Every structure is written in C-alpha cells, then in structure tokens.
Amino acid sequence: MYSLLLTIIYVAFVSLGLPDSLVGAGWPVMHQDLGVPLAAAGLITMIIAGGTILSSLASERVTRRFGAGVVTAVSVGMTAAALVGFSFSGSFWMLCLWAIPYGLGAGAVDAALNNYVALHYAARHMNWLHSFWGLGASISPFIMSYALTSGLGWSSAYLIVGVVQVALTFVLLVSLPLWGRVNSVVPAGAGAETDDAADDADSSGRGTAHVPLAQALRIPGVALILTAFFAYCALESTAILWASTWLVTDRAVPAATAAAFASLFLLGITGGRFLAGIFADRVGDRALIRGGFALVALGVVLLALPLPTDAVALAGLVLTGLGAAPIYPAIIHSTPINFGRRNSQAIIGIQMAAAYTGSTLAPPLFGVLSEWVGMWLFPVFLGILVILGVVMSERLNRLVDRRDRADQPAG
C-alpha cells in the first residue's frame, strides 16, 4: 500500500512537470498562428502564476476540508481540462481563459502533494520526486517538437499532455482509499507540538483545525523561510531565463554552446536532486540546504571571475544547477520539523505562493535592470539572492535551535 501510493505520487510529479515547458517550447509557432506579438506569452504566464498563488494560499483550508488525495485528483483534473482546452483554442483570449483553471489546479496540487510527502515520506523521496518533476518538464519540449515536425501542430502537443493528465486523474480517483492508510512519519527532531498535532488528523490530511493565513504568518520564523524560499526560486527562474543570453552577450560564447550549457543548468537540478536523494536521510534537510547554497555561491563566483577562458564560467553554471538541486525539496521537507505538523499545510501553501511570486517577478526585474546597467549584472544579481537565502535560512536555524533547547526538560 505504501509503495503503491508512492508510485502513483511519483507518476503524478512527472505529470506535473509535463505542462510547464509547453508554452515556452511552442510559443514561437503559437503566437504566429494566433496573430499576437511574441511578448503576449507574458500575459498567459502571468495569469497562470496568479492562479497558482491564489490556490496555494487557499490550499490549507481546502486540503483540511477534503484531504490531500481529493485535492490532488481534482486539481490534476482541472489542469487536464485546461490543457485539452488549450488544444482546441483558436484565439489568444481562449488561451487566457483556459490559463485560469490551469493555474488554480497547478497551485493546489503542488501545495497538497508537497505537504503530504513531507508528512508521510522520507527526505530522499522528496528529492527524487522533484527530480521526476524535472524529468516531466524536460520531456514536454520533445512532445512539442514531435507535434510540430510531424505536421500535427502545436495544439496536438497540448492534447497529448492533456490526455496523459486525464489518465492520471482517473488513477488518482481510484487510489483515493489509499491516501488515508499511509502511516505518518514523525521526523527526527520534531517537537511535542508535532506529535500532538499528528493525533488531530487522519493521515490523509483531513480534519485538523484550520490555521488562518494571518496566524500562520505570525508563527516565529515563517517570514524568514518565506524570504529564503522567494530568494531561491527567484535565483532559479532568473538563471533559467537569462543564463544563455548572458553567456552570449557578456562572455561572447557562441549561441549554440550557450544554449547547451543553459540546458545543463536544468539537467544539473534534475540530476542533482536524484543524487541528493541518495544521502538525504543521512545528512538531513538542514545540511542539504547549507551545502546547496554553498555550491550555488561557488558557481556564482566562477561566473563572475573575469577570466579570458569561458570554461570556468560554463563550469560555474553547471555547478550552480547542481547546488540548487536540493534546496527546494529540503525547504519543503523540513517544514513540519521547523513549524509543527499542524501548521505545515498552511505554511507550505504560503511557501508555494512565495515561490511562484519569486519565479514570476525576478526574471522581468533582472531584464529591466540589465537594460539600465548591463548584462554583466547577472552574476551579481544571483549573488545577492544567494546571500539573502543563506542569511534567512541560517536565522531560521538559530531560531529553531533556541526553541528546541527551550522545550527540553531541565535536568
């Protein structure tokens, strides 16, 4: 039962990654067919991001009401309907319309699944699951490429992925009885509040008292982890979008080479999460976060070195991807330990909102700054985000340590 549900969740993470690269992969053709400017893709991504932020913030209340399994199944069903809708859209306004359920479904399932895995499975699975998300995100451009080169058109790519999501929705609905039968994992180092809260809910995530957004934000340390998570996701999305352009314009790297190494950044994240999962349970989430930020910092330093050879900068980009790999999963997995199981769904929902906010705002912000200052700012911008993430995560560690020492009985 434990392994069966875990397998389904792994498949769900692959499926979650599939739609994320479709718009970018198909937009050069899509915007011509739809008769809209190239920049119009930004409106679609903004609508999707807005929906994910809203549903992430609402996920705690919804998940406690219906359970993680139901929320996951319904949310995947919403994204499936949106993708099928994309495939039948003959105008830009229809894409914008279908982007609404796409974003709402994506944010809800992201928060619900991440919290469920954080509560019920070991740290290695959190890393491997996010690696499988990267696998899905890497597959979808090939689906779009096949649809375009075979003459089927971009709409067929959305239909293919939509059908996959429909099939997953059916599997999730059939698996609903399993979600309440997996025993909760009480992480090492969790305090008494964690144990008490575990008794308040069944293992599907239903039935505990609602934790209002304002109350969750007042929990000591929440603002720190939100800022750290914002910084990491801002760094990741900025590197994904602008690394290739920086290599070409500032380092005079050939465009083909720059594109290849920019893709290696993503592959570094995907592969790095698989490697991190091998030793995640032994070293712990805190060490993964520290080590990840340290590797990212080293990679950024290599990017910034004004050396005549490009090899160092290219190696720095790959190292940055490897370092970034464990940070996102470790922050999520450590949430029940840092803030208690009762609060984890609410806080992970807010973390997802912070993640989408950082991913949405940081790349265009850097684009504006690079126009004013120059593309050389790229490693400096990443460095500032690394420092912000490290400072906030270390301040949280000190706060949690003080809390744990205060909770220990005297003697």
Side-chain angles (χ1 to χ4, degrees):
M1 187 185 319
Y2 174 96
S3 299
L4 177 59
L5 182 58
L6 183 60
T7 301
I8 293 172
I9 293 175
Y10 268 98
V11 175
F13 266 81
V14 175
S15 180
L16 285 175
L18 281 174
D20 288 355
S21 303
L22 280 178
V23 173
W27 191 248
V29 175
M30 291 172 63
H31 85 93
Q32 294 177 349
D33 291 349
L34 298 171
V36 294
L38 193 64
L43 179 58
I44 296 177
T45 56
M46 288 293 290
I47 294 173
I48 293 173
T52 55
I53 292 170
L54 289 176
S55 59
S56 296
L57 293 175
S59 66
E60 189 270 344
R61 181 187 293 273
V62 175
T63 304
R64 292 188 185 279
R65 174 68 178 84
F66 298 104
V70 172
V71 171
T72 300
V74 172
S75 299
V76 172
M78 290 175 64
T79 61
L83 290 167
V84 174
F86 269 43
S87 71
F88 290 102
S89 296
S91 58
F92 181 71
W93 70 266
M94 293 179 67
L95 289 181
C96 293
L97 184 65
W98 285 111
I100 297 173
Y102 180 109
L104 292 174
V109 69
D110 210 355
L113 269 183
N114 274 293
N115 183 63
Y116 188 86
V117 174
L119 290 175
H120 295 85
Y121 293 97
R124 64 181 182 274
H125 291 300
M126 182 66 82
N127 282 274
W128 288 337
L129 284 165
H130 281 274
S131 178
F132 271 60
W133 171 88
L135 177 63
S138 301
I139 291 173
S140 54
F142 291 100
I143 297 176
M144 180 61 73
S145 176
Y146 168 77
L148 295 176
T149 56
S150 63
L152 297 174
W154 59 266
S155 61
S156 296
Y158 284 99
L159 184 59
I160 292 170
V161 178
V163 170
V164 172
Q165 299 282 61
V166 170
L168 175 61
T169 302
F170 176 76
V171 172
L172 289 169
L173 289 172
V174 172
S175 71
L176 285 179
L178 300 177
W179 291 76
R181 299 179 185 176
V182 176
N183 293 327
S184 298
V185 174
V186 179
E193 178 191 359
T194 299
D195 296 332
D196 294 341
D199 297 332
D200 294 338
D202 64 32
S203 58
S204 67
R206 297 175 56 186
T208 59
H210 169 56
V211 180
L213 176 62
Q215 177 182 329
L217 289 172
R218 288 196 298 269
I219 297 173
V222 168
L224 299 176
I225 198 59
L226 292 181
T227 306
F229 208 39
F230 173 93
Y232 165 75
C233 293
L235 182 151
E236 178 188 290
S237 60
T238 302
I240 290 173
L241 183 61
W242 291 106
S244 182
T245 303
W246 172 77
L247 287 171
V248 172
T249 59
D250 195 68
R251 300 285 310 188
V253 174
T257 304
F261 274 84
S263 67
L264 285 177
F265 174 83
L266 273 173
L267 291 175
I269 291 178
T270 302
R273 284 173 179 168
F274 179 81
L275 294 175
I278 296 174
F279 50 83
D281 294 335
R282 292 194 294 272
V283 304
D285 295 320
R286 184 178 293 188
L288 288 174
I289 296 171
R290 283 173 171 167
F293 273 124
L295 279 179
V296 172
L298 178 58
V300 170
V301 170
L302 295 180
L303 291 176
L305 291 177
L307 300 176
T309 176
D310 295 326
V312 174
L314 294 174
L317 187 59
V318 175
L319 190 62
T320 301
L322 287 171
I327 298 175
Y328 190 115
I331 288 177
I332 295 295
H333 192 265
S334 64
T335 301
I337 301 174
N338 291 334
F339 302 105
R341 301 174 67 85
R342 187 177 68 87
N343 301 316
S344 65
Q345 181 65 71
I347 295 173
I348 286 179
I350 305 171
Q351 285 175 336
M352 293 296 102
Y356 291 123
T357 302
S359 299
T360 303
L361 297 182
L365 173 61
F366 175 77
V368 172
L369 292 175
S370 66
E371 286 288 333
W372 292 345
V373 181
M375 190 58 67
W376 62 266
L377 189 66
F378 178 70
V380 177
F381 190 83
L382 297 186
I384 292 172
L385 292 173
V386 171
I387 294 171
L388 181 61
V390 170
V391 169
M392 292 299 149
S393 60
E394 288 302 316
R395 286 185 61 188
L396 174 65
N397 291 338
R398 290 196 294 271
L399 187 151
V400 171
D401 289 342
R402 287 197 301 269
R403 181 202 67 194
D404 291 344
R405 287 194 297 268
D407 288 343
Q408 290 178 354

